Amino acid sequence: MLGQKRIYIFTGKGGVGKTTLSLALTKHLADSGKKVLFCEFDQQSVKPLAQKLNIPYLNLEINSSAEEYVGNKLGSKTVAHWIMKTPFFSALFKMVPGLANMILLGHMIDMLLHDEDLTIVLDSPSSGHALTMLESPFNFKEMFGSGIIVNDIERMEKFIKKEDGFLISVISLPSLMAVTEAKELQSGITKLGYKNTQVIANDLYGLTSDIKDNFNALPEFMKMKIDLEKEVIKNLDTTTSMEVAHIFDNEMENVVNVLAPIMGGKI
Amino acid sequence: MNFMPSNKSIEIFCGTGGVGKTTLATSRAAFLAENGKKVLLVTIDPARRLKQILHLTEEDAGDVKLIDLKTIHPEFGDGQFSALLMNPSRTLRRLGELSNTTKELENKIIKILSRPHGGMNEILATIEVQFQLESKQYDTIVLDTPPGKHFLDFLEASGKIKNFFDASFIEIFKYLGKNFESTPSKAKKIMGLIVSSGVKKLLSYLEKVTGPDFVHLFVDAIVALYKNKEYFLKALAFQQGLSQRQTSNWILVTSAEQSKVHEAEELQHSAKSFLHDDNFLAVNKCLEEYLNQWNTNENVTLSNVKVTMLERENRLKLMAKRNFKNSLFFPEVLGPTPEEHVLTLSRAWSKN
């Protein structure tokens, strides 16, 4: 069960359905009248699709976010602009991607703290990079020791540890190796202190009615695929995982529409 | 179909993750080893089960391990290859030993940044491969890159990383009274001037935001990295080698299982400046063979399922033909163990 949360983060390897599932959840929340924003992490690859599907879209871009953040801290936008333009800082941002990640994460938490009614759905970068992002507040707290940023990080930490704050879903395709990796990532995220995490086994052929209703007529390779899926499901802990059916349609727009009520049903 | 040349000193596997990139790279290493090549497989962070078949544990990270093909699967012929699980902090330690900066690199900031997800992975991976290449022990290094296009972004960002070591930094150090062997370059850029005149202000702002301890640590970290400048820049120069046809094969891995067309295209786009004629799109987990043999009889639902699945693979194949000179296709392996996957895929290389 997803449960009502303030920020839903979807991660997992490339092509496992992060974008599709996060769009579907946002669509469901928006359709049911909630104030919700869909956010991609420093990219805008599905902006047109989101607009087509009437999904409210949040533009979050690293450089301007960072400038805004530093500007707020120093009380001057001009100074922030000047600082960010120096080769020193642009190099720092290139070398230390976690810093930019933390600023984006902080930016979203700020938005949620300012608006009690807002929910954010984040289509996050794939596995390793998601960990870089989720780890960033803790890493930087250790690095900085004291100062304005540390006070800020402590505020972020408080939000991270709230019961209804974050839900982080690690999406995986239904193969044993992929699910094992997803579980490793999930436990890594839990260890960082994030309260709610789950594994989503996505794209299960065996869950669709087309397949279920015609099981006996299936060819051998499809039966083998479905047997492998069953093995995968057996390995999942039901309290911290969720299963989503494969949708036999090659248009992302249709898939999002079909999945929106399904994702809604899991909240 | 073109065969992939196997006489290159480096083969780079890129992909968005979850496409079987590491398994495919492992099968390639096994295939080359079976054919008598001296191979080193450098991998970033494979799944636990794949680590198991390579007999690697977290503790081995940073050490080169010899792997006998027969221990992966008894059906393999005689042969062995070396495998290295990347460990960024080990690479850093080696760097320290080489440049006599072990103590400086003990810096807290550098240590945090060189944790497995700390953010310095890509550059340290490049330095590591450079080290291994210079050891001249191997015919081929098979490099399994970190997932996503981030590795390519990183290679492309070389100019920006050079900025990190540019003259403006020396100005900062001068102001702080730190020692430097390298002399500042004659040509000061306007930006450098702005920074140097504003160093004091800049640092006071930084102090305000991050606290004074950090500023000290940060400056020390910069000094330590600066002392290793030569190695970092050399690692960047390594990029030039990668873009030469006689040196490398580029393999962009994608999977027929997922809707990857868009991502593969994006990957190819970002890799454009490195790709030469020996670049390959490897389409993994193809079901076409199975699908073509599937007789759905009169069942309308199943025949729709079949058509949808075939169409998905065909889209990927059309894209492959349109954008890549060479495409390699690997079948879906319907066995559960990674050992079987590696064996079946390594057999498929001889057909590719």
Side-chain angles (χ1 to χ4, degrees):
Chain A
M1 292 298 270
L2 287 169
Q4 285 285 351
K5 297 287 177 294
R6 300 296 311 282
I7 179 162
Y8 297 94
I9 297 183
F10 290 89
T11 185
K13 298 215 156 186
V16 295
K18 286 188 295 288
T19 306
T20 313
L21 292 186
S22 25
L23 282 172
L25 178 65
T26 322
K27 179 151 181 61
H28 163 78
L29 291 171
D31 288 352
S32 47
K34 263 201 118 17
K35 189 170 176 187
V36 61
L37 289 170
F38 171 82
C39 178
E40 290 178 273
F41 213 80
D42 198 41
Q43 55 173 9
Q44 301 186 15
S45 54
V46 293
K47 197 175 179 181
L49 179 63
Q51 273 157 356
K52 207 168 157 196
L53 285 160
N54 275 327
I55 291 171
Y57 189 92
L58 169 67
N59 246 341
L60 214 52
E61 192 260 328
I62 282 192
N63 284 331
S64 54
S65 261
E67 220 174 282
E68 202 178 317
Y69 180 85
V70 175
N72 284 338
K73 297 302 138 192
L74 294 173
S76 161
K77 279 207 161 137
T78 325
V79 171
H81 186 70
W82 169 71
I83 285 187
M84 301 301 294
K85 277 273 178 304
T86 59
F88 183 86
F89 262 84
S90 55
L92 180 68
F93 269 76
K94 281 286 164 215
M95 284 294 270
V96 190
L99 189 58
N101 284 331
M102 189 188 73
I103 287 174
L104 280 190
L105 197 62
H107 195 132
M108 283 185 287
I109 291 177
D110 277 349
M111 287 177 72
L112 292 167
L113 287 171
H114 285 140
D115 185 347
E116 286 290 318
D117 299 324
L118 181 67
T119 303
I120 293 178
V121 178
L122 175 67
D123 177 12
S124 111
S126 53
S127 314
H129 297 276
L131 213 53
T132 304
M133 170 186 79
L134 297 170
E135 242 180 43
S136 59
F138 307 101
N139 282 347
F140 285 100
K141 187 179 172 189
E142 203 181 326
M143 260 191 233
F144 292 137
S146 65
I148 306 177
I149 290 193
V150 169
N151 303 338
D152 230 46
I153 293 174
E154 276 163 1
R155 208 164 49 112
M156 284 170 75
E157 251 183 278
K158 233 163 126 190
F159 191 92
I160 285 168
K161 296 197 165 132
K162 273 171 74 167
E163 216 47 74
D164 67 341
F166 278 71
L167 173 70
I168 301 166
S169 303
V170 182
I171 309 173
S172 163
L173 289 177
S175 86
L176 275 177
M177 206 147 74
V179 165
T180 310
E181 258 183 290
K183 279 158 84 176
E184 281 175 33
L185 179 62
Q186 181 201 22
S187 80
I189 294 170
T190 310
K191 269 192 209 127
L192 288 174
Y194 290 88
K195 274 275 179 305
N196 313 292
T197 57
Q198 65 170 353
V199 170
I200 298 181
N202 193 19
D203 264 336
L204 290 155
Y205 281 46
L207 288 189
T208 66
S209 51
D210 284 357
I211 295 292
K212 270 197 254 174
D213 299 345
N214 296 284
F215 193 82
N216 290 329
L218 288 176
E220 207 43 44
F221 82 94
M222 285 292 267
K223 284 184 178 158
M224 275 171 86
K225 262 186 102 65
I226 289 159
D227 278 346
L228 288 176
E229 288 179 4
K230 283 184 186 148
E231 276 299 306
V232 169
I233 295 172
K234 256 202 280 177
N235 270 283
L236 287 174
D237 173 359
T238 46
T239 54
T240 54
S241 68
M242 188 172 122
E243 292 140 29
V244 177
H246 178 79
I247 308 300
F248 286 101
D249 195 311
N250 293 326
E251 298 311 321
M252 194 166 174
E253 190 184 340
N254 300 340
V255 178
V256 171
N257 278 323
V258 175
L259 283 176
I262 297 177
M263 291 302 281
K266 311 226 178 204
I267 288 190
Chain B
M1 186 180 290
N2 289 291
F3 283 83
M4 191 160 105
S6 54
N7 58 345
K8 305 297 181 70
S9 57
I10 183 153
E11 296 194 349
I12 307 139
F13 284 74
C14 300
T16 47
V19 292
K21 182 167 53 71
T22 305
T23 314
L24 201 61
T26 307
S27 76
R28 179 67 180 171
F31 168 76
L32 291 172
E34 218 177 11
N35 287 287
K37 297 264 178 199
K38 272 190 234 139
V39 184
L40 171 70
L41 170 71
V42 180
T43 177
I44 308 296
D45 188 21
R48 201 196 300 149
R49 300 188 75 218
L50 194 63
K51 260 183 235 163
Q52 270 170 14
I53 73 164
L54 293 173
H55 313 288
L56 294 172
T57 63
E58 229 25 85
E59 290 74 52
D60 293 324
D63 290 322
V64 174
K65 287 279 194 174
L66 206 57
I67 287 145
D68 204 307
L69 293 179
K70 296 258 188 229
T71 64
I72 298 180
H73 203 293
E75 279 178 41
F76 268 115
D78 290 325
Q80 48 195 19
F81 65 87
S82 304
L84 170 68
L85 182 62
M86 253 304 286
N87 176 341
S89 52
R90 278 289 293 272
T91 307
L92 204 66
R93 206 189 304 159
R94 186 131 46 120
L95 204 60
E97 283 160 15
L98 277 170
S99 61
N100 236 332
T101 53
T102 309
K103 249 198 156 147
E104 284 97 323
L105 289 174
E106 282 289 295
N107 180 286
K108 197 161 98 182
I109 295 177
I110 295 180
K111 273 179 139 172
I112 294 172
L113 292 182
S114 56
R115 282 176 188 168
H117 297 287
M120 277 177 60
N121 266 2
E122 281 87 354
I123 192 152
L124 289 170
T126 314
I127 289 176
E128 183 64 47
V129 173
Q130 176 96 15
F131 278 149
Q132 297 298 340
L133 213 57
E134 278 173 0
S135 78
K136 297 208 189 310
Q137 288 186 54
Y138 309 103
D139 299 322
T140 303
I141 295 179
V142 175
L143 174 64
D144 169 30
T145 68
K149 68 190 230 342
H150 296 81
F151 187 72
L152 300 171
D153 285 348
F154 159 73
L155 287 178
E156 250 177 351
S158 63
K160 287 167 197 151
I161 293 169
K162 277 189 186 128
N163 263 342
F164 194 74
F165 297 106
D166 82 0
S168 58
F169 269 83
I170 297 168
E171 296 299 321
I172 295 178
F173 303 134
K174 265 189 181 168
Y175 169 79
L176 293 161
K178 297 267 173 189
N179 272 339
F180 265 94
E181 295 104 302
S182 322
T183 45
S185 76
K186 291 161 270 171
K188 271 188 206 159
K189 292 182 194 109
I190 299 169
M191 264 316 189
L193 279 169
I194 294 174
V195 173
S196 69
S197 59
V199 166
K200 199 174 176 181
K201 232 191 257 171
L202 183 75
L203 286 177
S204 73
Y205 283 129
L206 196 60
E207 215 164 284
K208 208 167 150 191
V209 178
T210 63
D213 291 352
F214 174 75
V215 174
H216 287 292
L217 269 174
F218 183 69
V219 170
D220 286 345
I222 298 290
V223 171
L225 290 177
Y226 204 92
K227 285 191 172 160
N228 285 292
K229 176 182 177 178
E230 185 200 330
Y231 293 95
F232 282 93
L233 293 183
K234 218 162 86 184
L236 293 171
F238 168 69
Q239 174 200 324
Q240 254 98 59
L242 295 184
S243 58
Q244 280 162 13
R245 190 176 176 184
Q246 66 271 28
T247 316
S248 61
N249 284 330
W250 283 87
I251 302 101
L252 276 66
V253 187
T254 187
S255 156
E257 183 182 38
Q258 304 144 54
S259 13
K260 289 299 222 173
V261 179
H262 176 69
E263 275 167 72
E265 273 172 339
E266 226 174 55
L267 204 61
Q268 192 216 14
H269 182 77
S270 8
K272 237 180 206 150
S273 53
F274 311 104
L275 293 181
H276 44 69
D277 272 355
D278 283 341
N279 68 77
F280 303 83
L281 182 74
V283 182
N284 201 7
K285 305 182 188 183
C286 293
L287 284 170
E288 194 181 8
E289 256 176 72
Y290 302 105
L291 289 171
N292 284 335
Q293 286 166 22
W294 181 4
N295 180 0
T296 53
N297 297 319
E298 307 288 284
N299 191 319
V300 181
T301 314
L302 288 185
S303 110
N304 278 337
V305 166
K306 179 183 163 179
V307 168
T308 312
M309 290 173 78
L310 264 176
E311 190 201 79
R312 191 173 55 172
E313 283 206 26
N314 282 333
R315 277 194 197 186
L316 198 65
K317 282 178 183 167
L318 276 175
M319 187 282 299
K321 291 210 176 87
R322 208 168 48 231
N323 293 308
F324 290 84
K325 213 174 129 200
N326 309 301
S327 314
L328 316 168
F329 297 98
F330 295 86
E332 162 93 304
V333 184
L334 288 163
T337 73
E339 286 87 346
E340 278 172 68
H341 286 231
V342 172
L343 180 75
T344 312
L345 293 173
S346 94
R347 295 292 176 255
W349 280 108
S350 57
K351 289 175 215 146
N352 277 316

